[in-house]
Amino acid sequence: MDYSLALLFSLLQLLSVVTAHPVPAEVVKMKSKVKWMAEQLVVRLNNDFQVPVGLTLSPPADDLGGPSSAVAVLEGYNSLISDSLSGVSQVKSEISSLTGYLKQWRQVNCKEQWPKTSVPGPLQELQSRKEFIHTVSIEALLRVKEFLNLLLKNLDQLETC
């Protein structure tokens, strides 16, 4: 009985390996580059911007739904970060580089048109409070870091056009 169960398990394992779709090299390269860029940006945010004591973000993180969604979220937050805030020019530049890379990759590798992405709730909330420029900038920086951490945990979602 144990032998037949082991044989069945081995056959199922072999079948799953044979039927699995190989990941194209360009997808592996894209995910690797996005991972590196996002990690560098998180390190910069951790080193250059301290979270004010007692500040918590609510509602929770934005959803991650593929490259077009990631671009919309990151560009939205980047537009809310005030240039007058000390030390943000490099962060804004790196966010732009990451979104530019994702846009270019999607344009080359995805045949469908960009879906119309809706503005996520936390981003909408911040956009409605633009008059509080420094508070909004700090929260936008924190949300970028939160979103990048989500992205790093879910890089496979970038494969979806």
Side-chain angles (χ1 to χ4, degrees):
M1 185 66 141
D2 288 328
Y3 177 72
S4 59
L5 188 59
L7 181 61
L8 178 62
F9 179 73
S10 295
L11 286 172
L12 287 173
Q13 197 172 23
L14 179 64
L15 185 61
S16 70
V17 169
V18 170
T19 59
H21 297 291
V23 178
E26 57 272 357
V27 171
V28 172
K29 181 181 173 189
M30 176 272 295
K31 287 177 14 181
S32 176
K33 182 158 181 158
V34 168
K35 181 179 187 247
W36 180 82
M37 293 172 89
E39 285 172 343
Q40 296 302 309
L41 195 44
V42 168
V43 166
R44 182 172 305 288
L45 289 166
N46 284 336
N47 290 340
D48 295 351
F49 300 98
Q50 300 305 313
V51 177
V53 177
L55 180 66
T56 57
L57 297 177
S58 111
D62 301 282
D63 291 330
L64 176 63
S68 59
S69 173
V71 167
V73 168
L74 290 170
E75 282 183 337
Y77 286 127
N78 204 18
S79 72
L80 293 174
I81 300 169
S82 171
D83 292 325
S84 66
L85 198 61
S86 178
V88 296
S89 60
Q90 185 64 36
V91 168
K92 290 184 70 151
S93 174
E94 289 179 27
I95 293 170
S96 293
S97 293
L98 176 56
T99 57
Y101 178 76
L102 285 170
K103 277 182 186 178
Q104 179 184 11
W105 186 86
R106 191 180 188 298
Q107 198 171 33
V108 170
N109 294 285
C110 296
K111 303 303 175 224
E112 307 94 51
Q113 290 188 353
W114 282 69
K116 181 79 170 155
T117 55
S118 61
V119 178
L123 179 54
Q124 271 184 335
E125 172 66 25
L126 271 182
Q127 286 174 336
S128 72
R129 297 186 288 143
K130 284 185 194 175
E131 66 273 14
F132 305 107
I133 192 161
H134 290 295
T135 304
V136 167
S137 292
I138 290 168
E139 186 171 337
L141 287 166
L142 295 175
R143 292 232 178 244
V144 165
K145 185 168 90 172
E146 180 184 55
F147 186 77
L148 290 171
N149 284 319
L150 177 68
L151 178 66
L152 287 167
K153 290 176 188 167
N154 299 285
L155 287 169
D156 289 343
Q157 289 192 18
L158 293 178
E159 295 176 29
T160 309
C161 288

Short mmCIF file of all heavy atoms in Angstrom, two decimals, residues 21-36 67 101-102 105-106 108-110 154-161:
data_model
loop_
_atom_site.label_atom_id
_atom_site.label_comp_id
_atom_site.label_asym_id
_atom_site.label_seq_id
_atom_site.Cartn_x
_atom_site.Cartn_y
_atom_site.Cartn_z
N HIS A 21 4.57 25.82 -16.89
CA HIS A 21 5.02 26.71 -17.96
C HIS A 21 6.33 27.35 -17.57
O HIS A 21 6.46 27.90 -16.47
CB HIS A 21 3.98 27.81 -18.22
CG HIS A 21 2.67 27.26 -18.69
ND1 HIS A 21 2.51 26.68 -19.92
CD2 HIS A 21 1.47 27.20 -18.08
CE1 HIS A 21 1.26 26.30 -20.05
NE2 HIS A 21 0.61 26.58 -18.94
N PRO A 22 7.32 27.32 -18.43
CA PRO A 22 8.58 27.98 -18.10
C PRO A 22 8.39 29.50 -18.07
O PRO A 22 7.59 30.05 -18.82
CB PRO A 22 9.52 27.56 -19.23
CG PRO A 22 8.61 27.21 -20.37
CD PRO A 22 7.34 26.70 -19.76
N VAL A 23 9.09 30.13 -17.17
CA VAL A 23 9.02 31.58 -17.07
C VAL A 23 10.00 32.16 -18.08
O VAL A 23 11.19 31.82 -18.07
CB VAL A 23 9.38 32.05 -15.64
CG1 VAL A 23 9.36 33.55 -15.55
CG2 VAL A 23 8.44 31.43 -14.62
N PRO A 24 9.51 33.00 -19.00
CA PRO A 24 10.41 33.59 -19.99
C PRO A 24 11.55 34.37 -19.34
O PRO A 24 11.37 34.99 -18.29
CB PRO A 24 9.50 34.51 -20.80
CG PRO A 24 8.11 34.04 -20.54
CD PRO A 24 8.13 33.44 -19.17
N ALA A 25 12.69 34.35 -19.98
CA ALA A 25 13.88 35.02 -19.44
C ALA A 25 13.65 36.51 -19.23
O ALA A 25 14.13 37.08 -18.25
CB ALA A 25 15.06 34.80 -20.38
N GLU A 26 12.88 37.15 -20.12
CA GLU A 26 12.65 38.60 -19.95
C GLU A 26 11.81 38.90 -18.70
O GLU A 26 11.98 39.94 -18.08
CB GLU A 26 12.03 39.24 -21.19
CG GLU A 26 10.73 38.66 -21.67
CD GLU A 26 10.87 37.50 -22.64
OE1 GLU A 26 11.98 37.13 -23.03
OE2 GLU A 26 9.83 36.96 -23.02
N VAL A 27 10.94 37.97 -18.29
CA VAL A 27 10.15 38.16 -17.07
C VAL A 27 11.07 38.04 -15.85
O VAL A 27 10.98 38.84 -14.92
CB VAL A 27 8.98 37.14 -16.98
CG1 VAL A 27 8.30 37.19 -15.63
CG2 VAL A 27 7.98 37.40 -18.09
N VAL A 28 11.94 37.06 -15.87
CA VAL A 28 12.90 36.87 -14.78
C VAL A 28 13.78 38.11 -14.64
O VAL A 28 14.01 38.62 -13.55
CB VAL A 28 13.75 35.60 -15.00
CG1 VAL A 28 14.86 35.51 -13.98
CG2 VAL A 28 12.87 34.36 -14.97
N LYS A 29 14.26 38.62 -15.78
CA LYS A 29 15.12 39.81 -15.78
C LYS A 29 14.36 41.02 -15.23
O LYS A 29 14.88 41.79 -14.43
CB LYS A 29 15.61 40.09 -17.20
CG LYS A 29 16.52 41.28 -17.30
CD LYS A 29 16.96 41.53 -18.73
CE LYS A 29 17.73 42.83 -18.84
NZ LYS A 29 17.99 43.21 -20.21
N MET A 30 13.10 41.19 -15.68
CA MET A 30 12.29 42.32 -15.22
C MET A 30 12.08 42.26 -13.72
O MET A 30 12.28 43.24 -13.01
CB MET A 30 10.94 42.33 -15.95
CG MET A 30 9.96 43.40 -15.48
SD MET A 30 8.88 42.96 -14.09
CE MET A 30 7.89 41.66 -14.78
N LYS A 31 11.68 41.09 -13.21
CA LYS A 31 11.42 40.96 -11.78
C LYS A 31 12.69 41.19 -10.97
O LYS A 31 12.66 41.82 -9.91
CB LYS A 31 10.81 39.59 -11.48
CG LYS A 31 9.37 39.52 -11.95
CD LYS A 31 8.64 38.21 -11.78
CE LYS A 31 9.16 37.16 -10.95
NZ LYS A 31 8.35 35.93 -10.92
N SER A 32 13.81 40.74 -11.48
CA SER A 32 15.08 40.94 -10.81
C SER A 32 15.44 42.42 -10.73
O SER A 32 15.87 42.92 -9.70
CB SER A 32 16.18 40.16 -11.54
OG SER A 32 17.43 40.40 -10.97
N LYS A 33 15.25 43.12 -11.85
CA LYS A 33 15.57 44.55 -11.88
C LYS A 33 14.62 45.34 -10.99
O LYS A 33 15.05 46.23 -10.25
CB LYS A 33 15.52 45.08 -13.32
CG LYS A 33 15.89 46.55 -13.39
CD LYS A 33 16.35 46.98 -14.74
CE LYS A 33 16.72 48.44 -14.67
NZ LYS A 33 17.61 48.86 -15.70
N VAL A 34 13.32 45.03 -11.05
CA VAL A 34 12.34 45.72 -10.20
C VAL A 34 12.67 45.47 -8.73
O VAL A 34 12.62 46.38 -7.91
CB VAL A 34 10.91 45.29 -10.54
CG1 VAL A 34 9.92 45.76 -9.48
CG2 VAL A 34 10.51 45.82 -11.92
N LYS A 35 13.03 44.23 -8.41
CA LYS A 35 13.38 43.88 -7.03
C LYS A 35 14.56 44.72 -6.57
O LYS A 35 14.54 45.31 -5.48
CB LYS A 35 13.70 42.39 -6.93
CG LYS A 35 14.05 41.93 -5.54
CD LYS A 35 14.33 40.44 -5.51
CE LYS A 35 14.52 39.98 -4.09
NZ LYS A 35 15.82 39.54 -3.76
N TRP A 36 15.60 44.80 -7.39
CA TRP A 36 16.78 45.57 -7.03
C TRP A 36 16.44 47.05 -6.85
O TRP A 36 16.84 47.67 -5.86
CB TRP A 36 17.86 45.39 -8.10
CG TRP A 36 19.12 46.15 -7.79
CD1 TRP A 36 20.12 45.78 -6.96
CD2 TRP A 36 19.47 47.45 -8.28
NE1 TRP A 36 21.08 46.76 -6.91
CE2 TRP A 36 20.70 47.80 -7.71
CE3 TRP A 36 18.85 48.35 -9.15
CZ2 TRP A 36 21.33 49.01 -7.98
CZ3 TRP A 36 19.49 49.56 -9.42
CH2 TRP A 36 20.72 49.86 -8.83
N PRO A 67 1.69 45.55 -13.48
CA PRO A 67 2.57 46.71 -13.73
C PRO A 67 1.82 48.03 -13.89
O PRO A 67 2.27 49.06 -13.42
CB PRO A 67 3.32 46.34 -15.01
CG PRO A 67 2.84 45.04 -15.47
CD PRO A 67 1.86 44.51 -14.48
N TYR A 101 10.73 52.25 -15.95
CA TYR A 101 11.13 50.90 -16.33
C TYR A 101 9.90 49.99 -16.49
O TYR A 101 9.79 49.24 -17.46
CB TYR A 101 12.11 50.31 -15.31
CG TYR A 101 12.50 48.89 -15.65
CD1 TYR A 101 13.40 48.64 -16.67
CD2 TYR A 101 11.93 47.81 -14.97
CE1 TYR A 101 13.74 47.33 -17.02
CE2 TYR A 101 12.27 46.51 -15.31
CZ TYR A 101 13.16 46.28 -16.32
OH TYR A 101 13.48 44.99 -16.67
N LEU A 102 8.98 50.06 -15.53
CA LEU A 102 7.77 49.24 -15.60
C LEU A 102 6.92 49.60 -16.82
O LEU A 102 6.38 48.72 -17.49
CB LEU A 102 6.94 49.38 -14.32
CG LEU A 102 7.48 48.65 -13.10
CD1 LEU A 102 6.72 49.05 -11.84
CD2 LEU A 102 7.43 47.14 -13.31
N TRP A 105 8.75 48.19 -19.91
CA TRP A 105 8.65 46.74 -19.97
C TRP A 105 7.25 46.32 -20.43
O TRP A 105 7.09 45.47 -21.28
CB TRP A 105 8.96 46.11 -18.60
CG TRP A 105 8.99 44.63 -18.69
CD1 TRP A 105 10.05 43.86 -19.04
CD2 TRP A 105 7.90 43.73 -18.50
NE1 TRP A 105 9.69 42.54 -19.06
CE2 TRP A 105 8.37 42.43 -18.73
CE3 TRP A 105 6.56 43.90 -18.13
CZ2 TRP A 105 7.57 41.30 -18.61
CZ3 TRP A 105 5.76 42.77 -18.03
CH2 TRP A 105 6.26 41.49 -18.26
N ARG A 106 6.24 46.96 -19.87
CA ARG A 106 4.87 46.61 -20.21
C ARG A 106 4.57 46.93 -21.68
O ARG A 106 3.92 46.17 -22.37
CB ARG A 106 3.88 47.35 -19.31
CG ARG A 106 2.49 46.80 -19.48
CD ARG A 106 1.49 47.51 -18.60
NE ARG A 106 0.22 46.86 -18.66
CZ ARG A 106 -0.53 46.73 -19.73
NH1 ARG A 106 -0.10 47.20 -20.89
NH2 ARG A 106 -1.69 46.14 -19.70
N VAL A 108 6.59 46.91 -24.19
CA VAL A 108 7.26 45.96 -25.07
C VAL A 108 6.67 44.55 -24.94
O VAL A 108 6.54 43.84 -25.92
CB VAL A 108 8.79 45.92 -24.76
CG1 VAL A 108 9.48 44.78 -25.47
CG2 VAL A 108 9.43 47.25 -25.13
N ASN A 109 6.30 44.15 -23.73
CA ASN A 109 5.95 42.75 -23.47
C ASN A 109 4.47 42.45 -23.32
O ASN A 109 4.10 41.28 -23.24
CB ASN A 109 6.68 42.26 -22.22
CG ASN A 109 8.18 42.24 -22.44
OD1 ASN A 109 8.67 41.36 -23.13
ND2 ASN A 109 8.88 43.21 -21.91
N CYS A 110 3.64 43.45 -23.26
CA CYS A 110 2.21 43.21 -23.11
C CYS A 110 1.49 43.71 -24.36
O CYS A 110 1.64 44.87 -24.74
CB CYS A 110 1.66 43.92 -21.87
SG CYS A 110 2.37 43.30 -20.33
N ASN A 154 5.35 40.43 -3.62
CA ASN A 154 4.43 39.94 -4.64
C ASN A 154 4.91 40.21 -6.05
O ASN A 154 4.14 40.60 -6.92
CB ASN A 154 3.04 40.59 -4.44
CG ASN A 154 2.44 40.25 -3.11
OD1 ASN A 154 1.97 39.14 -2.89
ND2 ASN A 154 2.49 41.19 -2.18
N LEU A 155 6.20 40.02 -6.30
CA LEU A 155 6.76 40.30 -7.63
C LEU A 155 6.08 39.50 -8.74
O LEU A 155 6.04 39.94 -9.89
CB LEU A 155 8.27 40.04 -7.63
CG LEU A 155 9.11 41.07 -6.89
CD1 LEU A 155 10.54 40.57 -6.74
CD2 LEU A 155 9.08 42.41 -7.61
N ASP A 156 5.53 38.34 -8.41
CA ASP A 156 4.87 37.51 -9.42
C ASP A 156 3.68 38.23 -10.05
O ASP A 156 3.32 37.94 -11.18
CB ASP A 156 4.41 36.18 -8.83
CG ASP A 156 5.58 35.25 -8.54
OD1 ASP A 156 6.67 35.51 -9.07
OD2 ASP A 156 5.39 34.29 -7.78
N GLN A 157 3.07 39.17 -9.33
CA GLN A 157 1.92 39.88 -9.89
C GLN A 157 2.32 40.80 -11.04
O GLN A 157 1.47 41.23 -11.80
CB GLN A 157 1.18 40.66 -8.80
CG GLN A 157 0.45 39.73 -7.85
CD GLN A 157 -0.51 40.47 -6.96
OE1 GLN A 157 -0.90 41.60 -7.22
NE2 GLN A 157 -0.91 39.82 -5.89
N LEU A 158 3.59 41.09 -11.15
CA LEU A 158 4.04 41.94 -12.27
C LEU A 158 4.03 41.19 -13.59
O LEU A 158 4.12 41.79 -14.65
CB LEU A 158 5.46 42.46 -12.00
CG LEU A 158 5.61 43.43 -10.85
CD1 LEU A 158 7.06 43.81 -10.67
CD2 LEU A 158 4.75 44.68 -11.07
N GLU A 159 3.91 39.86 -13.54
CA GLU A 159 3.86 39.05 -14.76
C GLU A 159 2.54 39.23 -15.49
O GLU A 159 2.45 38.95 -16.68
CB GLU A 159 4.04 37.57 -14.42
CG GLU A 159 5.39 37.24 -13.86
CD GLU A 159 5.50 35.78 -13.45
OE1 GLU A 159 4.82 34.92 -14.05
OE2 GLU A 159 6.27 35.50 -12.53
N THR A 160 1.52 39.68 -14.80
CA THR A 160 0.19 39.84 -15.37
C THR A 160 0.11 41.15 -16.12
O THR A 160 0.34 42.21 -15.56
CB THR A 160 -0.88 39.84 -14.26
OG1 THR A 160 -0.68 38.69 -13.45
CG2 THR A 160 -2.26 39.84 -14.84
N CYS A 161 -0.22 41.08 -17.40
CA CYS A 161 -0.38 42.29 -18.18
C CYS A 161 -1.72 42.91 -17.85
O CYS A 161 -1.91 44.05 -17.77
CB CYS A 161 -0.29 42.01 -19.67
SG CYS A 161 1.39 41.64 -20.21
#
